[in-house]
Amino acid sequence: MKSTSTDTAYQERDDQAGAGAEAAGRKARVHPAVPAGLIAGSYVLALLLQVAGAPTGVLALALLMRLVGCVLLCTSLFWRPWQKVTGVLVTLVVPALANILWNRELSGEDTAALRVLADVLQLVCVVGGAAWLWWTRRKD
């Protein structure tokens, strides 16, 4: 029986798959600093853009950075599944819910102190969550 190049390709693929399984799985493609940096940097960028008086459309860039950071976090090999879920909840969902609550219920001229408190809460959630992700990453 004559061997074809397709048969050889399948055999090489199977050999590589076996070697990969023995080598403890797949390799990480993204450094763990990238998702954590994108998540933390997104809030800092949004804060700087707000201080500079940028239009709301430009602030979408910060949200896009945070979303990309969360996607990279969820596809990363450096965190366990429960850490990924916690990271997304703390750095994306909780600040978004706080912002929605602020815009719907608490906005007004007499509540400037509450707005500062909401901003500090968002800062702690986003930057603190990114720092927690950095410290809890797998180092092996």
Side-chain angles (χ1 to χ4, degrees):
M1 186 159 142
K2 193 173 188 182
S3 176
T4 65
S5 63
T6 307
D7 293 336
T8 306
Y10 284 130
Q11 184 179 9
E12 288 176 4
R13 182 199 64 194
D14 293 341
D15 290 343
Q16 289 174 352
E22 294 172 3
R26 57 187 186 152
K27 288 186 82 170
R29 293 188 181 137
V30 176
H31 193 274
V34 174
L38 282 172
I39 291 170
S42 69
Y43 189 84
V44 173
L45 178 66
L47 187 64
L48 292 175
L49 288 174
Q50 283 180 347
V51 168
T56 307
V58 177
L59 292 174
L61 178 65
L63 177 63
L64 181 65
M65 280 178 60
R66 194 176 305 170
L67 288 172
V68 169
C70 286
V71 168
L72 290 175
L73 167 67
C74 289
T75 60
S76 177
L77 299 175
F78 290 100
W79 292 278
R80 290 173 180 78
W82 68 270
Q83 291 171 319
K84 293 175 184 181
V85 170
T86 304
V88 169
L89 286 174
V90 168
T91 62
L92 184 68
V93 176
V94 171
L97 289 176
N99 207 12
I100 289 170
L101 179 67
W102 167 258
N103 288 333
R104 290 208 168 188
E105 304 296 329
L106 300 175
S107 61
E109 292 181 17
D110 57 333
T111 58
L114 288 176
R115 182 62 198 171
V116 171
L117 181 64
D119 285 341
V120 169
L121 174 68
Q122 288 181 356
L123 175 69
V124 168
C125 282
V126 174
V127 176
W132 175 80
L133 284 169
W134 178 253
W135 284 316
T136 61
R137 73 192 186 282
R138 293 182 189 173
K139 295 170 183 83
D140 17 311

